[in-house]
Amino acid sequence: MSIRLLSTKAVIIELSPIQDEKHELEEGFSFDFNPVLDKENNKRFLVVFRGEQIDTKNHYRSKVVFISHFESEKVLDESNLTDKFLLINAPAIGYPYFRAFYSNFLLNAGYEPIILPTINFVKLADDKAKALSEKKTDSD
């Protein structure tokens, strides 16, 4: 299968100070991604990246949902969502854009940027395929 990156876009950007310090917050960064079919074009799909950061040292919480929009050479359906191409290659292409955006977003907001690690999408693909298969089975 051949794919082409069409565009990238941040669709949710949140940054807020942590004001309630009575509750202990778990510091750190969490990350997830999911392939999603484009309902308007059966040769297109999205990879939706979600990152959240809690920084108790600098007293902020941030969240970004970022979309990479792709086009495939072939028609796609629900069965392709667990295809390793959509779980490895496409996220590996879109992730550097998400990574750069997240870091620059914090820097431009006046905070120390976080440098997100590189991700081995091959390692994550099996777990993600299993989770997507279970989700599909639950919705049937």
Side-chain angles (χ1 to χ4, degrees):
M1 181 189 319
S2 174
I3 61 172
R4 179 172 65 102
L5 179 64
L6 298 173
S7 65
T8 61
K9 182 186 295 185
V11 294
I12 296 175
I13 305 168
E14 296 177 6
L15 179 63
S16 58
I18 298 173
Q19 297 174 3
D20 185 6
E21 295 187 31
K22 293 177 186 174
H23 304 288
E24 285 196 31
L25 298 172
E26 189 172 327
E27 172 130 1
F29 181 78
S30 63
F31 169 79
D32 194 20
F33 73 96
N34 285 300
V36 178
L37 298 177
D38 186 326
K39 294 180 196 267
E40 296 176 14
N41 185 324
N42 60 6
K43 287 190 172 185
R44 293 186 177 182
F45 67 97
L46 312 168
V47 176
V48 180
F49 297 96
R50 179 187 170 114
E52 292 189 58
Q53 168 79 11
I54 294 176
D55 186 330
T56 55
K57 177 183 166 200
N58 294 300
H59 307 287
Y60 75 85
R61 177 186 315 234
S62 63
K63 175 176 143 182
V64 171
V65 176
F66 189 87
I67 295 174
S68 294
H69 197 181
F70 292 89
E71 184 170 59
S72 169
E73 64 183 4
K74 70 176 199 167
V75 173
L76 303 168
D77 61 25
E78 292 289 324
S79 68
N80 295 108
L81 290 178
T82 56
D83 185 300
K84 293 203 186 249
F85 207 82
L86 271 66
L87 294 175
I88 297 171
N89 296 51
I93 293 167
Y95 180 71
Y97 295 94
F98 167 76
R99 186 177 183 222
F101 177 84
Y102 207 108
S103 183
N104 286 322
F105 155 63
L106 290 173
L107 179 66
N108 289 331
Y111 294 96
E112 184 178 326
I114 59 172
I115 307 302
L116 300 180
T118 57
I119 292 182
N120 183 343
F121 286 99
V122 173
K123 271 180 97 174
L124 292 178
D126 289 335
D127 292 338
K128 184 58 72 175
K130 183 178 177 185
L132 289 168
S133 291
E134 289 171 0
K135 183 178 176 183
K136 184 180 176 207
T137 303
D138 291 342
S139 66
D140 289 341

